[in-house]
Amino acid sequence: MLLINRANELMDENRLREAEFMFKAVLKENNRNGAALFGLGRLCIQLDDYDSAIYYLRRACENLPRQLEPLFTLAHCFIQVGSPVDAKTVLEYTLNVAQHSARAHYELGQFYLDYGFIGQAKTIFTQGITCQNEEVTPYIFRELVQLASTSSLPSFIAPLEKLLEEYDDKRLNIVTYYALGKCHHRLGHYDQAFTYFKLANSTQLRYCDFRTKDMLPLFEQIKQHFDSDFFKKPTDRVTTTFTPTFIIGLPRTGSTLLEQMLVQHSCIGSIGESTALSDKIVPYLMKRSEAPFPYCFSNLSTSSSDYCRSLYIDEIKKQRVPDEVVINKLPANFQNIGMIYRLFPDARFIHLTRDFGATAWSVYSNHFDADEPYFCSLSEFKLYAEAEIDLMAHFEKCIPKNILTLGYESLIAQPEKTINRVLRFLGQDYEPECMEYYEDHRPVATLSKAQVRKPISKAPLTSWQHYKKDMIELLNEEQTDQNEQTNQVSP
């Protein structure tokens, strides 16, 4: 057991080869040691070797029959290799052997939700809240209050309020606040809803270890480095079998809906919100040049450019996306436009915009796991939105032919006409299947996973108006607090 503990410590320290040696040493003594097999499975996941991970995790599940974590991890691996049927089998088996586990209900319910089986997800989540409370219970409620019928919502309020008394964990309270906010919103109790959303956001903001103003120098550096002269320089002759396409902009501006409509096209695929650019390409260039982003892109050699392209293409191959147009819908890639253009001069950028009030409220009333200030403060989001608008105006002047700006309101009001426009920008003919997006069962893992399983609704255009007065007051209050804090630290 000491070797297993030490191997797990080494894996936490990213000393993977040493951890692997120890796990295998244990298996030499006993090739049925479930903990060692589970450890090797998790290690292979970190190495992106999912086939090997599945092999070890299957054996771990056989030798750890009463433990659920290996089963959940095995299901995750099946999803990663594109085998949702196997993942579903594992999760349904897990629930069958652990019928009183809230976690088992949550994992299966999330699977159904991700793949568009909304009725099954609702059933499983409803069963899940009857189990003994676990850490996932607030998360089950968070999903259920958005799926359940309005008539059933009043019965959720008391159990949610009780959860706030039961948990000392502020993180779980944040999720519960959001669930109560959504519940009251759907019931038309807008004052109560705003109170809970405000509690959720103010609590989460305390976990943020930076502020949006700390990002502003980076945005200025991006503009200065990727200036008009940069874009006038000759680019490499790049030949690819696909058109790299990026849906960019602020969060909650319709990227999931647009992606879901576009991937119904026979020539368009997606790698979701891939972070390959920031997680793989930027670290490689920073190490090679010993300079931070964006300066690591100075004097980029042809061989380094080719290697960076291969890293991105490998991500597409790993996700088995063979289409003519390959979408990356990570909204924050607007910061990477200069880098992307240098690697892929024919890249296409679809810049989504939306009314600020509607966007700000959608962000404020939804739970983002990431501790980033613009997700949990109206004033922080306003600053982030202004920086995004400024940076996009810069890039649109530099490479206007590569950027299509698209309003969320247009997508909602005239979906067929708008999609036609996007397809022309991507060099594709219109296909009517794009309008039948809500019948598709491809996985969707964003906050809009339930909404994109329904026909287009115009409700998001106006529902935020219930909170307009409160938002203005809160925004003024937050900005006053920020100004006072700034004055206090000023010499």
Side-chain angles (χ1 to χ4, degrees):
M1 198 62 189
L2 289 175
L3 274 179
I4 294 290
N5 291 338
R6 181 54 184 154
N8 285 323
E9 290 173 0
L10 289 168
M11 194 157 60
D12 291 340
E13 297 168 8
N14 205 35
R15 296 161 65 180
L16 302 184
R17 293 304 174 194
E18 295 171 69
E20 180 183 18
F21 176 82
M22 287 193 173
F23 283 132
K24 289 185 174 179
V26 173
L27 289 176
K28 281 185 179 180
E29 297 295 324
N30 176 11
N31 66 2
R32 294 174 61 84
N33 187 296
L37 290 165
F38 184 37
L40 281 171
R42 291 186 294 115
L43 190 148
C44 289
I45 291 173
Q46 291 197 36
L47 295 172
D48 288 337
D49 183 1
Y50 287 99
D51 291 334
S52 297
I54 288 171
Y55 166 76
Y56 286 118
L57 290 169
R58 274 176 160 163
R59 292 182 58 196
C61 292
E62 292 169 1
N63 291 284
L64 298 170
R66 296 186 179 182
Q67 293 192 22
L68 302 184
E69 199 60 42
L71 289 163
F72 296 140
T73 309
L74 177 60
H76 164 76
C77 284
F78 279 130
I79 290 172
Q80 292 299 310
V81 299
S83 298
V85 173
D86 290 318
K88 176 173 175 285
T89 299
V90 172
L91 292 172
E92 288 178 340
Y93 166 79
T94 305
L95 183 57
N96 188 53
V97 299
Q99 296 181 14
H100 301 294
S101 166
R103 172 80 184 278
H105 284 84
Y106 176 73
E107 296 290 344
L108 181 57
Q110 277 292 350
F111 173 87
Y112 285 141
L113 192 54
D114 286 353
Y115 283 85
F117 299 100
I118 306 301
Q120 291 95 318
K122 177 182 170 183
T123 299
I124 295 298
F125 287 141
T126 302
Q127 295 170 356
I129 62 172
T130 66
C131 299
Q132 184 174 349
N133 290 341
E134 299 178 26
E135 288 190 355
V136 297
T137 302
Y139 291 88
I140 296 175
F141 272 108
R142 182 191 65 177
E143 303 295 357
L144 188 56
V145 297
Q146 299 180 80
L147 302 177
S149 63
T150 306
S151 60
S152 62
L153 293 178
S155 66
F156 297 154
I157 293 175
L160 281 166
E161 291 174 342
K162 188 175 180 181
L163 284 179
L164 291 174
E165 300 173 1
E166 181 173 334
Y167 293 120
D168 293 328
D169 189 332
K170 296 297 183 184
R171 293 280 189 181
L172 296 181
N173 286 345
I174 290 169
V175 181
T176 307
Y177 289 144
Y178 275 111
L180 278 163
K182 289 287 186 182
C183 196
H184 282 293
H185 169 76
R186 290 192 59 204
L187 288 168
H189 306 157
Y190 301 120
D191 289 340
Q192 295 97 315
F194 190 82
T195 296
Y196 281 116
F197 286 134
K198 187 176 179 179
L199 279 168
N201 282 274
S202 61
T203 305
Q204 188 168 9
L205 186 62
R206 296 172 197 158
Y207 289 96
C208 301
D209 57 8
F210 72 98
R211 291 295 182 263
T212 306
K213 63 181 176 58
D214 300 328
M215 302 174 64
L216 301 184
L218 173 62
F219 288 154
E220 285 302 315
Q221 291 165 8
I222 290 172
K223 285 167 55 180
Q224 292 168 12
H225 186 74
F226 298 117
D227 58 9
S228 57
D229 290 337
F230 173 90
F231 288 101
K232 290 175 183 177
K233 294 177 183 177
T235 57
D236 295 339
R237 291 188 177 182
V238 179
T239 302
T240 61
T241 59
F242 66 98
T243 300
T245 300
F246 299 82
I247 300 176
I248 54 175
L250 295 171
R252 307 300 295 168
T253 53
S255 61
T256 300
L257 173 61
L258 178 60
E259 178 204 39
Q260 189 74 349
M261 297 173 82
L262 290 175
V263 295
Q264 308 310 312
H265 194 282
S266 60
C267 297
I268 300 177
S270 175
I271 56 174
E273 294 189 351
S274 172
T275 56
L277 292 165
S278 56
D279 290 352
K280 295 181 179 180
I281 294 175
V282 170
Y284 161 75
L285 290 175
M286 288 174 61
K287 183 177 180 180
R288 172 187 166 278
S289 65
E290 298 183 346
F293 181 80
Y295 305 110
C296 58
F297 251 74
S298 299
N299 304 316
L300 192 63
S301 67
T302 300
S303 60
S304 291
S305 296
D306 288 341
Y307 180 70
C308 291
R309 289 186 198 98
S310 71
L311 289 175
Y312 193 75
I313 292 170
D314 285 345
E315 179 74 11
I316 294 171
K317 289 179 179 178
K318 186 175 74 174
Q319 296 200 34
R320 298 173 173 84
V321 182
D323 303 276
E324 291 180 17
V325 174
V326 179
I327 294 171
N328 182 335
K329 66 170 289 290
L330 184 68
N333 271 327
F334 72 85
Q335 302 170 45
N336 297 321
I337 287 178
M339 172 175 64
I340 295 167
Y341 180 81
R342 179 57 64 191
L343 298 177
F344 299 104
D346 293 327
R348 291 290 178 264
F349 303 95
I350 304 170
H351 176 214
L352 282 171
T353 65
R354 185 181 180 184
D355 174 85
F356 173 77
T359 310
W361 179 250
S362 187
V363 171
Y364 196 76
S365 60
N366 280 283
H367 178 224
F368 292 80
D369 286 328
D371 293 329
E372 298 178 16
Y374 39 83
F375 289 150
C376 43
S377 162
L378 291 176
S379 58
E380 295 285 339
F381 181 75
K382 183 173 184 288
L383 193 59
Y384 182 75
E386 289 169 349
E388 187 269 348
I389 291 169
D390 180 63
L391 191 55
M392 283 307 306
H394 167 76
F395 284 128
E396 285 171 351
K397 289 179 181 177
C398 295
I399 48 170
K401 292 182 180 179
N402 294 68
I403 300 175
L404 173 67
T405 299
L406 193 70
Y408 173 77
E409 291 79 8
S410 297
L411 183 61
I412 297 298
Q414 298 178 305
E416 188 169 348
K417 180 180 179 180
T418 304
I419 288 297
N420 231 320
R421 181 184 171 203
V422 175
L423 290 173
R424 287 197 299 271
F425 176 66
L426 299 177
Q428 302 295 325
D429 294 328
Y430 176 76
E431 291 181 0
E433 288 78 7
C434 294
M435 295 298 105
E436 301 167 2
Y437 66 92
Y438 50 87
E439 297 179 355
D440 189 25
H441 288 289
R442 301 177 196 224
V444 177
T446 69
L447 292 171
S448 302
K449 64 180 82 174
Q451 290 93 320
V452 296
R453 308 301 183 181
K454 304 174 185 177
I456 286 176
S457 168
K458 295 184 179 180
L461 299 178
T462 57
S463 61
W464 71 278
Q465 297 278 357
H466 296 294
Y467 305 96
K468 186 174 182 178
K469 181 181 177 182
D470 289 321
M471 288 173 65
I472 292 172
E473 291 178 356
L474 180 58
L475 183 59
N476 291 335
E477 177 186 318
E478 289 180 353
Q479 290 181 326
T480 299
D481 290 343
Q482 286 179 352
N483 292 336
E484 289 178 352
Q485 291 171 11
T486 300
N487 293 334
Q488 288 175 1
V489 298
S490 298

